[in-house]
Amino acid sequence: MEENPVVSQPKGKNQIITTTAGKSKDEMRIFLFEFFGMALFAYGIICSQGSDEFLALFFFASVCLAGPFSGAHVNPAVTLSMLLSRRINFAQAVIYWLAQFSGALCGACCCYLILNEVDSPQVKSTEYSWILSDISGEAFGTFTFILFILIQTDPETTLTPGGQPMTTYVLVAIALYFSREFTFHSGGCLNPGMAVSLQLFQSFQTGDRQRMDFLWVYVGGPLGGGFGASVFFELFYKKQIKRL
């Protein structure tokens, strides 16, 4: 098990797997566990029915499932930040993204088959001020969440040096819980893979294609927040820590 398995810090530079990076079996392992982790999280989001506590618990379960094998990004915005921070390469990022989107869609299908219910984030008003609040909340919440992940999983900045992986799992789940508090206006999705997959499934299942009109809010906000967190961490936070 990796020291910081939420992003899977390897010994080899810019690689996810240490001694066998790039081999098909390791790529398949990354794909499968990201897929199942995302599917579990999607199922949990729908079952939580808006409860922040239950959502955080399902996220914790997803991270525990995928962490030792894929690093448990369980979010395309997290994968983007890992790519920008040069912890993974572009080919690996594509594997993560494919697994995340397909896993979330699978979770939505399971919810529909088992619970006969699927829910997805949706902009409640087309007013300019409302949409601006939604996308700002998604961006700021994701910025906070991913910045904590970057801090906690970097050996030079981690808050628990030498800590057990379970400690990181718990702290990251708590970070998601509090980051969602910044986004009550938009529903606190913070996950473009989840938003796209759930919206796609529900829009085809109900025939309501207009649900997709403002999907960009739940994609652009989190990706922008992840990009900002990576830039802030690499260009400011990490340099300031080294000066202490």
Side-chain angles (χ1 to χ4, degrees):
M1 185 175 290
E2 307 286 353
E3 179 182 356
N4 292 312
V6 171
V7 282
S8 195
Q9 278 291 86
K11 296 178 181 178
K13 185 178 181 181
N14 299 335
Q15 295 177 342
I16 288 295
I17 306 299
T18 55
T19 59
T20 56
K23 292 186 178 180
S24 59
K25 64 178 182 180
D26 297 310
E27 294 172 351
M28 182 59 67
R29 181 170 62 178
I30 291 172
F31 181 91
L32 286 176
F33 281 94
E34 277 294 302
F35 177 92
F36 287 120
M38 197 75 164
L40 175 61
F41 190 29
Y43 189 89
I45 286 175
I46 297 169
C47 290
S48 69
Q49 296 186 340
S51 168
D52 292 341
E53 292 79 10
F54 279 111
L55 190 146
L57 285 174
F58 274 108
F59 177 71
F60 173 72
S62 299
V63 171
C64 287
L65 171 67
F69 306 99
S70 71
H73 296 187
V74 200
N75 187 328
V78 173
T79 299
L80 176 64
S81 70
M82 296 300 110
L83 176 62
L84 294 174
S85 299
R86 299 182 300 279
R87 301 188 191 185
I88 62 174
N89 59 44
F90 182 75
Q92 292 166 334
V94 171
I95 294 172
Y96 277 97
W97 287 327
L98 289 175
Q100 290 156 0
F101 284 104
S102 57
L105 192 58
C106 177
C109 291
C110 290
C111 276
Y112 182 71
L113 292 174
I114 297 172
L115 307 174
N116 197 29
E117 181 179 351
V118 175
D119 194 16
S120 60
Q122 186 177 16
V123 171
K124 297 179 181 179
S125 173
T126 58
E127 293 184 8
Y128 173 79
S129 59
W130 189 286
I131 293 175
L132 182 61
S133 295
D134 279 353
I135 195 168
S136 298
E138 288 291 313
F140 185 69
T142 306
F143 174 91
T144 306
F145 175 56
I146 292 182
L147 179 60
F148 179 83
I149 291 177
L150 293 172
I151 293 171
Q152 177 62 20
T153 55
D154 190 300
E156 296 180 0
T157 61
T158 182
L159 304 177
T160 55
Q164 295 298 316
M166 190 59 66
T167 303
T168 296
Y169 295 161
V170 172
L171 291 176
V172 170
I174 293 173
L176 176 65
Y177 175 84
F178 284 106
S179 295
R180 293 186 76 247
E181 297 302 309
F182 294 117
T183 61
F184 69 93
H185 198 271
S186 65
C189 185
L190 311 183
N191 191 321
M194 201 67 68
V196 169
S197 298
L198 295 182
Q199 284 276 31
L200 275 174
F201 184 90
Q202 193 166 23
S203 114
F204 280 102
Q205 185 256 323
T206 62
D208 182 9
R209 302 296 188 269
Q210 291 184 341
R211 297 183 65 90
M212 305 291 292
D213 290 348
F214 294 95
L215 181 59
W216 60 271
V217 171
Y218 295 97
V219 175
L223 291 179
F227 176 83
S230 300
V231 172
F232 179 81
F233 177 76
E234 293 293 336
L235 299 184
F236 180 76
Y237 187 91
K238 197 171 182 178
K239 290 183 179 179
Q240 294 302 315
I241 288 292
K242 290 179 179 179
R243 293 178 181 177
L244 296 180

